[in-house]
Amino acid sequence: MTRLAQTAGLNDVQQEILSTVRDFVDKEIIPVATQLEHRDEYPTEIVEGLKELGLFGLMIPEEYGGLGESLLTYALCVEEIARGWMSVSGIINTHFIVAYMLKQHGTQEQKDTFLPRMALGEVRGAFSMSEPALGSDVAAITSKGVKDGAEYVLHGQKMWLTNGGTSSLVAVLCRSDEGHPEGTAPHKSMTTFLVEKEPGFGEVRPGLTIPGKIDKMGYKGVDTTELIMDGLRIPANRVLGGTTGRGFYQMMDGVEVGRVNVAARGCGVAQRAFELGVSYAQQRHTFGKPIAQHQAIQFKLAEMATKVEAAHAMMVNAARKKDSGERNDLEAGMAKYLASEYCKEVVEDAFRIHGGYGFSKEYEIERLYREAPMLLIGEGTAEIQKMIIGRRLLEEYRFQG
Ligand SMILES: Cc1cc2nc3c(=O)[nH]c(=O)nc-3n(C[C@H](O)[C@H](O)[C@H](O)COP(=O)(O)OP(=O)(O)OC[C@H]3O[C@@H](n4cnc5c(N)ncnc54)[C@H](O)[C@@H]3O)c2cc1C
């Protein structure tokens, strides 16, 4: 099942990493994913395996103990992992975003403190922008960090924190008016605080509570939580980059690479749905022949495979653009938008190919059917991607007349 989603031009190291990850996914993830997902059970053994493979440090520079790999390598690994179980890719995604933000924006002391332990998976990252009243409109956040001597005191409620319980380092976006007079644009008065905490639920450090897991329709196994700050005291040296007022840009930078990542997840889930569909279509007989021999089903398979190929190509293009040092917000937005929409459609078609059995929890496609919608929301909804794409197009194609 390797004909689709090939990537030209990979070097030997990339090929070896990918083949190791694919092997791990086939042997250690796919056979247990659906059972664990139905039980909403955290995949502890899989996570330990990922640590051993070095995946938590894949993009962390070698000087901090990581593998120093490119965004492309990372995205291709995520694609493989999501093919096995999307929730597992969610476990490394927020970690990757926080490590990326530290690498790009952290002070030297912050990099030295966190990156080596993040590369080993000992410190695990999560990021928190969304609040109960907002997700898309990040500039409207109300959580606040107020300076008090050598510390900041944080108050506010956050929502939808992926890995909220299992992480030990959360990058939290707050409004911080200190040094920014009344009337400062909202996105210039935000700060990312690096909040260290114990993994678990309840009051995990004074002033910080992680209530229990949110019960979700899919994307199970990985914990998604609220985060409540009530007088949480954070030392000034845990302001990301050491200067307040830069949080919005830091988070947007992180989310931009996260978008390539979500696109890669869409590609992986769509590939798995295609594999399940094409396999079932050759086993199930109706009217005296395998349903794959009915043209209507062949057309479905043709459309599914074309979408898998197109999404993969756009995702690879977006990752390569970032790796080359160029701005990639347009490509990342397009890749995320297309891959998540196509993923939903390919999963839907594979579900239909399964007939009534697709509705049974015994069949893997039932899980994929509940997982695909999350990709339409995370790291910015389809509407938000289209806003980004539209704005960038008008910049590029400014009317000269
Ligand atoms: C399982 C899960 C995990 C998540 N993990 C994280 C995480 O780790 N960290 C984090 O910070 N957040 C996380 N999120 C939050 C996620 O980023 C938000 O849900 C997402 O950004 C959408 O925000 P919202 O839910 O508030 O929807 P809203 O912003 O309220 O949007 C509602 C609807 O209106 C549309 N809309 C909004 N504004 C416009 C506009 N200007 N024009 C046209 N349409 C518009 C949206 O597209 C959507 O269809 C997670 C969410 C889920 C479901």
Side-chain angles (χ1 to χ4, degrees):
M1 302 271 192
T2 54
R3 172 67 185 80
L4 291 181
Q6 298 287 316
T7 312
L10 298 181
N11 62 33
D12 291 348
V13 175
Q14 288 174 310
Q15 285 181 15
E16 192 174 330
I17 292 174
L18 281 174
S19 122
T20 307
V21 172
R22 179 168 263 257
D23 200 44
F24 181 83
V25 168
D26 285 336
K27 290 191 181 129
E28 310 294 337
I29 300 186
I30 289 180
V32 296
T34 300
Q35 281 173 3
L36 290 175
E37 200 268 355
H38 287 166
R39 295 203 295 267
D40 198 3
E41 189 174 318
Y42 191 78
T44 307
E45 279 182 32
I46 294 174
V47 170
E48 289 307 311
L50 295 178
K51 276 188 201 169
E52 275 173 37
L53 292 179
L55 282 187
F56 283 96
L58 196 63
M59 260 190 87
I60 293 177
E62 284 171 309
E63 60 188 294
Y64 300 107
L67 297 176
E69 271 296 327
S70 61
L71 179 59
L72 177 63
T73 314
Y74 183 78
L76 293 174
C77 288
V78 166
E79 184 180 38
E80 291 293 348
I81 292 169
R83 189 184 135 261
W85 184 12
M86 193 183 92
S87 296
V88 178
S89 62
I91 290 171
I92 53 173
N93 181 43
T94 64
H95 178 86
F96 151 79
I97 289 179
V98 176
Y100 174 83
M101 284 167 60
L102 273 162
K103 182 178 80 148
Q104 295 297 112
H105 306 288
T107 62
Q108 194 56 50
E109 184 272 332
Q110 289 167 352
K111 291 181 201 182
D112 292 340
T113 304
F114 295 114
L115 288 179
R117 286 186 291 149
M118 290 187 87
L120 295 172
E122 286 171 10
V123 167
R124 301 257 301 282
F127 77 96
S128 179
M129 296 190 291
S130 305
E131 297 183 357
L134 63 101
S136 308
D137 189 7
V138 176
I141 63 168
T142 58
S143 294
K144 235 179 161 176
V146 176
K147 189 136 204 258
D148 181 21
E151 293 180 320
Y152 287 84
V153 184
L154 274 48
H155 285 273
Q157 187 175 350
K158 293 292 187 180
M159 185 70 190
W160 295 119
L161 187 59
T162 302
N163 298 308
T166 42
S167 57
S168 44
L169 176 66
V170 188
V172 182
L173 188 65
C174 289
R175 191 163 295 292
S176 59
D177 294 332
E178 174 245 347
H180 311 291
E182 270 308 284
T184 305
H187 54 281
K188 289 191 177 156
S189 61
M190 289 188 203
T191 296
T192 306
F193 292 95
L194 299 168
V195 176
E196 293 164 85
K197 69 174 185 68
E198 286 300 315
F201 299 96
E203 193 172 19
V204 288
R205 83 178 253 187
L208 179 64
T209 301
I210 306 287
K213 295 197 296 186
I214 298 169
D215 199 9
K216 297 166 295 191
M217 105 188 210
Y219 200 39
K220 290 174 183 276
V222 56
D223 47 296
T224 308
T225 71
E226 295 173 49
L227 176 150
I228 297 162
M229 301 174 289
D230 185 12
L232 170 64
R233 301 191 79 86
I234 300 293
N237 67 357
R238 289 297 168 257
V239 166
L240 179 63
T243 313
T244 58
R246 295 189 181 156
F248 185 82
Y249 301 103
Q250 294 162 343
M251 281 281 177
M252 289 304 127
D253 190 25
V255 168
E256 198 172 289
V257 288
R259 280 186 184 134
V260 176
N261 205 287
V262 175
R265 286 203 244 176
C267 294
V269 173
Q271 274 173 47
R272 185 65 187 155
F274 175 78
E275 288 172 12
L276 296 172
V278 76
S279 166
Y280 187 85
Q282 292 168 80
Q283 296 168 55
R284 180 72 172 176
H285 287 66
T286 67
F287 302 95
K289 54 185 175 183
I291 58 171
Q293 296 304 324
H294 297 303
Q295 195 180 48
I297 299 291
Q298 268 181 32
F299 277 14
K300 267 198 203 308
L301 293 171
E303 286 165 16
M304 290 158 75
T306 306
K307 287 173 182 171
V308 165
E309 280 294 276
H312 177 81
M314 286 195 73
M315 179 273 287
V316 167
N317 180 46
R320 284 197 158 130
K321 189 120 190 179
K322 186 79 180 177
D323 285 334
S324 72
E326 287 179 74
R327 180 176 174 182
N328 85 332
D329 52 348
L330 179 65
E331 291 76 12
M334 284 178 168
K336 195 271 169 180
Y337 167 54
L338 187 103
S340 55
E341 295 288 334
Y342 276 2
C343 173
K344 181 196 63 150
E345 291 169 17
V346 171
V347 167
E348 168 91 34
D349 275 346
F351 170 79
R352 286 173 187 241
I353 286 173
H354 279 73
Y357 289 104
F359 214 65
S360 160
K361 279 190 172 283
E362 276 186 38
Y363 283 75
E364 200 178 324
I365 192 63
E366 179 271 342
R367 168 168 66 77
L368 270 54
Y369 196 82
R370 288 182 290 102
E371 286 175 340
M374 153 61 191
L375 299 170
L376 301 169
I377 300 165
E379 254 75 280
T381 62
E383 287 73 25
I384 297 303
Q385 304 312 317
K386 284 192 250 185
M387 281 164 60
I388 295 167
I389 295 166
R391 274 191 210 131
R392 283 285 285 118
L393 289 174
L394 290 175
E395 263 178 50
E396 298 272 341
Y397 290 85
R398 188 164 289 132
F399 181 56
Q400 302 292 340

